[in-house]
Amino acid sequence: MREVAIVGVSMIKFGRYADRDFSQLAAQAGLEALKDAGMNMKSVEALYSGNLYATSGSGQRILQQMGQTGIPVVNVANACATGSTAFREAYFAIASGAYDVAMAVGSEQMGKQGLLGSRGDPATSLEGRVGSYMMPAVFGMAGMEHARAHGTQMEHFAMASVKNHFHSTGNPLAQYQKESPLDEVMNARMIAYPNTLLMCCPTGDGAAAAILCSMDKARQFTTQPIKIAASVLTSDPWSVRDETLADINTLTRNAAKIAYEQAGIGPEDLNLVELHDCFATAELLHYENLGLCDEGMAGKHIASGATWIGNKIPTKYEEDIAPFVDKTYKPKTKTVVNASGGLLSKGHPLGATGVANIAEIVFHLRGQAGARQVEGSKIGMAHVIGLCSACTLNIIQK
């Protein structure tokens, strides 16, 4: 397989666009990515469009906005991993030698869609019986299971929200750019314990795009191509377990193992990760799933400051977090997590998220992330899961 590079990325500001449809948002992102790459639409040989709620013909509608050129279009839907799955399809199309240039675009128009969930199989569904399969409840239960097993406190989960809201103030593309101190997060309206309103990601509208090239082609456009070192997609394996409790961990752990092997690195080599913090509880669980800290250490890891920009707790939050700091804890990694503000602040228009996470990594590798820049960034990881189930991991390096 050929080496593949990213030569152009774009993300529009996530929010709510009642006066525009998804194809217009996606076309804006696509054209901006082409400009970033120094190309035009005629250079693109294939388009991979990720959109969950407008899957049928989404890519063709986007091309109507950007300029139809007769190229093949593949429309992708794969739960929250929709955009990143479209990106992976573009990656393999180029790695295989089928094309030299491809565009991956993720888009979604959700507005105020509200809580998401699924009735599931009536034989195993919790809905209305002993719990709920709505997304806040699923991730609330997963967090409580971690608390039961490892003693993680609500404050530890809340710190993920404090951190990501703090990071968001440096990201003009985030849907919300507002700090939320620990007491504000803890005292916000409870949605599904331990996740309060400020520990849940907002829905909204958005789009992001990436231009992928063979490495040889990429060198025609830049002297410093960004390499895709690993691209992995997994789903839940069969296991003997309680089928009424959604497993949000195993598919990420399996994907991480494969991705690190493909890239020839370990978690300690990552400078930054954009991971799927749909809820604050999810962020801490994924620290362990991605190998950023040891089993059961997620609470201590975030309290240590290791995942914050600069690898330290900001002075303004030291007093609030001090009671939860274990001074004997030595971080396994100092990988900054969700420098963008994460889904908790950036927003989560489902089909757009996967490509937006990749764009964020590229911004840092280029040194273009502004106030939120993770200094010295050379290797980053973009992670998304969807409970259909799907997990994508992309490792990107300079």
Side-chain angles (χ1 to χ4, degrees):
M1 296 235 297
R2 299 191 298 177
E3 287 189 336
V4 181
I6 303 170
V7 295
V9 292
S10 175
M11 170 190 166
I12 70 166
K13 177 179 170 61
F14 286 2
R16 294 192 172 95
Y17 295 88
D19 59 335
R20 301 170 68 189
D21 72 9
F22 80 87
S23 66
Q24 293 170 309
L25 302 178
Q28 178 185 339
L31 291 171
E32 289 177 356
L34 285 169
K35 182 178 180 180
D36 184 49
M39 298 182 182
N40 58 39
M41 197 62 217
K42 291 181 180 179
S43 303
V44 178
E45 299 171 5
L47 173 70
Y48 296 82
S49 169
N51 189 299
L52 190 59
Y53 292 113
T55 306
S56 180
S58 68
Q60 287 84 349
R61 289 178 62 183
I62 293 166
L63 273 181
Q64 288 175 345
Q65 302 286 333
M66 291 195 296
Q68 292 170 300
T69 57
I71 60 174
V73 175
V74 177
N75 298 311
V76 176
N78 204 9
C80 295
T82 289
S84 48
T85 302
F87 177 90
R88 186 171 184 269
E89 291 301 304
Y91 163 79
F92 273 105
I94 294 171
S96 70
Y99 307 108
D100 286 324
V101 181
M103 175 186 290
V105 59
S107 63
E108 207 73 70
Q109 191 159 37
M110 301 177 70
K112 294 185 177 181
Q113 188 160 327
L115 305 179
L116 300 176
S118 171
R119 291 175 61 189
D121 184 343
T124 60
S125 175
L126 297 178
E127 203 64 50
R129 298 178 182 177
V130 294
S132 173
Y133 205 73
M134 301 294 280
M135 290 299 102
V138 168
F139 286 92
M141 288 186 287
M144 291 309 297
E145 175 61 17
H146 194 275
R148 180 200 65 78
H150 305 296
T152 316
Q153 299 179 55
M154 182 181 176
E155 287 85 352
H156 290 124
F157 295 122
M159 286 176 207
S161 183
V162 176
K163 173 180 66 67
N164 292 351
H165 292 156
F166 172 73
H167 287 174
S168 75
T169 60
N171 186 3
L173 300 177
Q175 185 167 342
Y176 296 108
Q177 300 154 51
K178 181 181 180 297
E179 291 189 46
S180 298
L182 188 61
D183 62 343
E184 183 179 345
V185 174
M186 295 282 292
N187 294 321
R189 177 162 54 94
M190 184 58 64
I191 302 299
Y193 193 88
N195 288 315
T196 67
L197 180 65
L198 293 176
M199 296 162 71
C200 303
C201 69
T203 58
D205 312 328
I211 309 299
L212 289 72
C213 291
S214 64
M215 189 60 74
D216 288 342
K217 186 79 171 180
R219 292 193 175 98
Q220 298 177 22
F221 296 91
T222 177
T223 58
Q224 294 182 316
I226 304 296
K227 178 184 174 182
I228 302 170
S231 187
V232 178
L233 174 64
T234 60
S235 61
D236 278 339
W238 182 89
S239 64
V240 180
R241 59 180 173 84
D242 180 0
E243 292 295 337
T244 64
L245 183 63
D247 180 359
I248 67 172
N249 299 310
T250 305
L251 71 170
T252 291
R253 294 184 180 215
N254 289 349
K257 182 176 184 295
I258 298 168
Y260 290 136
E261 289 176 353
Q262 282 186 8
I265 65 167
E268 66 280 356
D269 297 311
L270 296 171
N271 300 112
L272 72 159
V273 170
E274 287 292 310
L275 62 73
H276 199 80
D277 62 320
C278 48
F279 300 90
T281 49
E283 172 155 330
L284 267 66
L285 295 175
H286 292 315
Y287 290 172
E288 297 172 20
N289 295 336
L290 296 173
L292 303 181
C293 67
D294 291 330
E295 192 78 15
M297 294 291 107
K300 294 180 179 181
H301 194 62
I302 191 167
S304 75
T307 59
W308 300 61
I309 292 176
N311 305 125
K312 63 181 181 179
I313 303 295
T315 303
K316 65 179 74 177
Y317 297 134
E318 284 180 346
E319 185 176 346
D320 292 339
I321 293 175
F324 308 98
V325 175
D326 182 346
K327 294 183 179 179
T328 67
Y329 175 72
K330 303 298 182 184
K332 176 182 175 181
T333 66
K334 290 191 175 182
T335 304
V336 174
V337 176
N338 289 333
S340 68
L343 278 57
L344 292 176
S345 292
K346 188 172 61 180
H348 186 22
L350 301 183
T353 290
V355 183
N357 284 2
I358 290 163
E360 177 71 14
I361 299 295
V362 172
F363 294 151
H364 286 271
L365 298 187
R366 290 175 172 177
Q368 298 174 339
R372 67 189 186 280
Q373 178 68 45
V374 176
E375 297 299 331
S377 293
K378 295 181 179 180
I379 305 177
M381 172 188 281
H383 161 261
V384 183
I385 69 163
L387 289 186
C388 65
S389 63
C391 173
T392 52
L393 276 182
N394 288 281
I395 295 177
I396 305 163
Q397 66 182 53
K398 292 173 72 170

